[in-house]
Amino acid sequence: MVLSKTERKIIEEAIRDVKDFPKPGIVFKDITTILNDKHAFGVLMNHLYQRYKEYNLDYIVGIDARGFIFGAALAQMLSIGFVPIRKHGKLPYTTISEKYSLEYGVDEVEIHIDAFRGQKDARVLLIDDLIATGGTATAAATLIKQAGAECVEACFVVTLTSLDGYKNLEEKTPVYSLIEVK
């Protein structure tokens, strides 16, 4: 299931471009404007519900921080659990972590070691607002596997295709993107 032309237009028009953020030359795709547009947010969440209701998922995993918004809402709609993947040092219990490369250094994300409550081969959807270079998402998919679950798909509201980050992630799990921009 993919977006209809009408749905795509509603969601695309709700995304704000912010020039020169976080640094000169970057056009930031701001999805917070989807969140404060009840119609656009409703279209987005209904589409995600329709797409994933037959996937027999056990959990939604959201990446810190915007993935929490979409992931928690979708998990509630699907009546399944939600699991956060957070930046290093933000989770209160025993974690496993994965480092990934940034343009100027290294960062790290974590998941609770018991995130899937010992459920063997739990079926998981990974979700976030945007994929650019793919470092965070690829690290998240690795953590899901290390925690004993199967990442059946990774979903993003926006994919920046010019950065090819989705290609690295596709080696680990199928990728679905609602909106693709260069």
Side-chain angles (χ1 to χ4, degrees), residues 83-148:
V83 173
I85 287 187
R86 301 223 45 203
K87 305 249 188 232
H88 176 71
K90 299 292 184 182
L91 290 172
Y93 187 65
T94 306
T95 62
I96 52 177
S97 64
E98 183 72 16
K99 292 182 180 178
Y100 60 96
S101 296
L102 297 169
E103 188 175 356
Y104 299 107
V106 175
D107 209 345
E108 188 173 2
V109 288
E110 297 177 326
I111 192 170
H112 279 136
I113 198 160
D114 62 351
F116 306 113
R117 299 179 173 250
Q119 184 177 346
K120 293 283 186 196
D121 301 319
R123 293 177 51 80
V124 171
L125 171 70
L126 176 64
I127 193 166
D128 204 4
D129 65 327
L130 183 138
I131 185 168
T133 62
T136 308
T138 301
T142 299
L143 284 176
I144 290 167
K145 184 173 183 175
Q146 288 176 358

Side-chain angles (χ1 to χ4, degrees), residues 48-49 51-53 55-63 67 70-71 74-75 78 80-83 116 122-128 144 149-156 173-176:
L48 293 175
Y49 173 77
R51 178 174 175 85
Y52 293 110
K53 68 182 181 180
Y55 271 58
N56 296 315
L57 297 168
D58 298 301
Y59 297 91
I60 304 290
V61 173
I63 298 174
F70 302 114
L74 183 58
L78 294 170
I80 60 175
F82 174 78
V83 173
F116 306 113
R123 293 177 51 80
V124 171
L125 171 70
L126 176 64
I127 193 166
D128 204 4
I144 290 167
E150 174 192 1
C151 186
V152 298
E153 192 163 84
C155 174
F156 303 93
T173 189
V175 175
Y176 174 66

Side-chain angles (χ1 to χ4, degrees), residues 149-166:
E150 174 192 1
C151 186
V152 298
E153 192 163 84
C155 174
F156 303 93
V157 178
V158 177
T159 294
L160 300 179
T161 58
S162 62
L163 296 177
D164 289 338
Y166 66 96

